[in-house]
Amino acid sequence: MLEIPLRDFLLHSLSLSFPHPVSGERLAQEAGVSRVAVWKEAQALRAKGFPIQASRAGYRLLSLPDRLEGAFLQALLRDTFPGLRVVFFPELSSTNSYVKELASRGEKEGTVILTENQTQGRGRRGRTWFSQPGKALTFSFLLRPSLSLRLSPLVGLLVALVLAQALEELGFSPYLKWPNDLWIGERKVAGILLESSAEMEEVEWIVVGVGVNVNMTSHDFPEELRSRVTSLAMEKGETIPRWQILRTFFSRFAREYPRFLKEKSFAPWREAFEERSLLAGRRVRVHWEGGEKRGMAVGIDEEGALWIQGEDGEKERIQWGEVSLDPLVN
Ligand code: BTN
């Protein structure tokens, strides 16, 4: 007996064998159902937007559509991050909140939660995160590193860098705005929200939430955001399937993350981050509750802190705070 719904089994099998067909007989046998049952599910999947062709040779996917179904992504993301388990919900208030809940109940590292419609997306510093159903990528995943809490923000820098490199592999040229925003040109294209829990200064879990503006047009964004945001499709002039971003990102992250846990420092990635820095050499304004500082962004150090140089020539190390390009001079 199948332990997963027949539809998921079929989708997973066809995605794994893409672009080759799988015989109806084999599918029916493996699932322990009739060939008619397989045919019915194939019809249902076709109606959901999966281009399934039935021929004498069996069933096959003609292309990989821009869909986020768990069984589909689970097949496409295999061989990326060890222990990756993809679960998709058509609607969720916030993927970060959901994964936090799972984490506190003992969920294992590698669980990825995706949604098509995030109704209460959260950004950094209590802001809301806008995403357009069907066009955005909103997902969160769970990590359980053996790491001291002090170093946990470095995971955010690493995720931002890896996401930038993944987008480069797909033909984009993003900049990194410290600590973990991605911009293209002068507009934000992706954001990362890290939430963690620790015991005795040792990380228990980290939830990494990623939001990417993938296929939105300018009109999809609320008016008040339009001048400050962009999407990959707006930059490229064509849409891009979201699974491509996920696959490229997780393949890279699976390589860099174990290395980071060994190094326990950002030193090996500092230069790569700097090369893509939006802020380096520019006048910035850093503000935090109760204060602000203006100066020139000089760079980041091996612990991931930002250094800025004030008018007086004094350099200051910034660990927290909201950084913006100084509107007086930029
Ligand atoms: C920011 O730039 O302020 C961070 C934005 C993070 C948004 C993502 S979307 C998926 C995940 N779930 C959330 O509620 N937020 C993060």
Side-chain angles (χ1 to χ4, degrees), residues 129 163 167 180-183 188-192 210-213 230:
W129 178 257
L163 183 61
L167 294 182
N180 33 27
D181 283 358
L182 270 73
W183 286 38
K188 182 160 168 171
V189 73
I192 290 156
V210 183
V212 188
N213 303 332
T230 187

Side-chain angles (χ1 to χ4, degrees), residues 81-123:
F81 197 76
L84 203 77
R85 185 175 83 89
V86 187
V87 186
F88 166 74
F89 293 93
E91 185 176 297
L92 215 55
S93 60
S94 153
T95 55
N96 256 50
S97 305
Y98 192 85
V99 179
K100 273 170 74 178
E101 180 70 35
L102 291 180
S104 65
R105 288 200 253 120
E107 183 78 11
K108 286 204 205 98
E109 173 163 285
T111 294
V112 184
I113 301 292
L114 287 121
T115 189
E116 191 62 277
N117 187 13
Q118 183 167 252
T119 54
Q120 285 170 52
R122 295 188 286 112

Side-chain angles (χ1 to χ4, degrees), residues 271-288:
E271 223 175 282
F273 194 99
E274 295 277 25
E275 278 166 11
R276 295 165 176 82
S277 168
L278 178 83
L279 304 178
R282 293 175 80 171
R283 313 281 312 174
V284 296
R285 192 168 73 103
V286 187
H287 42 107
W288 56 90

Side-chain angles (χ1 to χ4, degrees), residues 96-97 99-101 103-104 122 141-145 147-156 192-199 201-209 257 320:
N96 256 50
S97 305
V99 179
K100 273 170 74 178
E101 180 70 35
S104 65
R122 295 188 286 112
F141 56 99
L142 178 62
L143 298 175
R144 290 190 180 276
L147 194 68
S148 97
L149 183 63
R150 189 176 55 84
L151 298 177
S152 67
L154 297 184
V155 175
I192 290 156
L193 176 67
L194 222 70
E195 296 183 278
S196 55
S197 157
E199 217 175 301
E201 294 302 304
E202 277 295 301
V203 169
E204 225 184 336
W205 50 256
I206 297 181
V207 173
V208 182
Y257 176 64
W320 321 106

Side-chain angles (χ1 to χ4, degrees), residues 133-279:
K135 298 187 175 182
L137 198 48
T138 51
F139 66 101
S140 302
F141 56 99
L142 178 62
L143 298 175
R144 290 190 180 276
S146 145
L147 194 68
S148 97
L149 183 63
R150 189 176 55 84
L151 298 177
S152 67
L154 297 184
V155 175
L157 296 186
L158 186 71
V159 169
L161 174 61
V162 168
L163 183 61
Q165 290 171 328
L167 294 182
E168 282 165 13
E169 203 177 315
L170 299 172
F172 299 92
S173 305
Y175 289 100
L176 291 163
K177 177 173 169 283
W178 185 90
N180 33 27
D181 283 358
L182 270 73
W183 286 38
I184 294 184
E186 299 285 298
R187 289 154 194 249
K188 182 160 168 171
V189 73
I192 290 156
L193 176 67
L194 222 70
E195 296 183 278
S196 55
S197 157
E199 217 175 301
M200 311 279 282
E201 294 302 304
E202 277 295 301
V203 169
E204 225 184 336
W205 50 256
I206 297 181
V207 173
V208 182
V210 183
V212 188
N213 303 332
V214 183
N215 289 325
M216 289 101 131
T217 64
S218 174
H219 288 287
D220 290 322
F221 292 101
E223 211 175 323
E224 65 275 15
L225 287 182
R226 276 181 209 160
S227 62
R228 291 180 280 132
V229 293
T230 187
S231 74
L232 298 176
M234 283 160 68
E235 297 299 324
K236 197 177 185 187
E238 60 185 69
T239 59
I240 157 165
R242 289 166 292 173
W243 58 260
Q244 267 186 11
I245 300 165
L246 289 167
R247 189 153 79 177
T248 320
F249 169 76
F250 278 111
S251 308
R252 285 182 164 268
F253 190 68
R255 288 199 297 272
E256 305 298 336
Y257 176 64
R259 202 175 143 214
F260 166 72
L261 292 183
K262 238 185 259 155
E263 301 277 342
K264 302 222 186 307
S265 147
F266 202 62
W269 296 274
R270 202 185 61 81
E271 223 175 282
F273 194 99
E274 295 277 25
E275 278 166 11
R276 295 165 176 82
S277 168
L278 178 83
L279 304 178

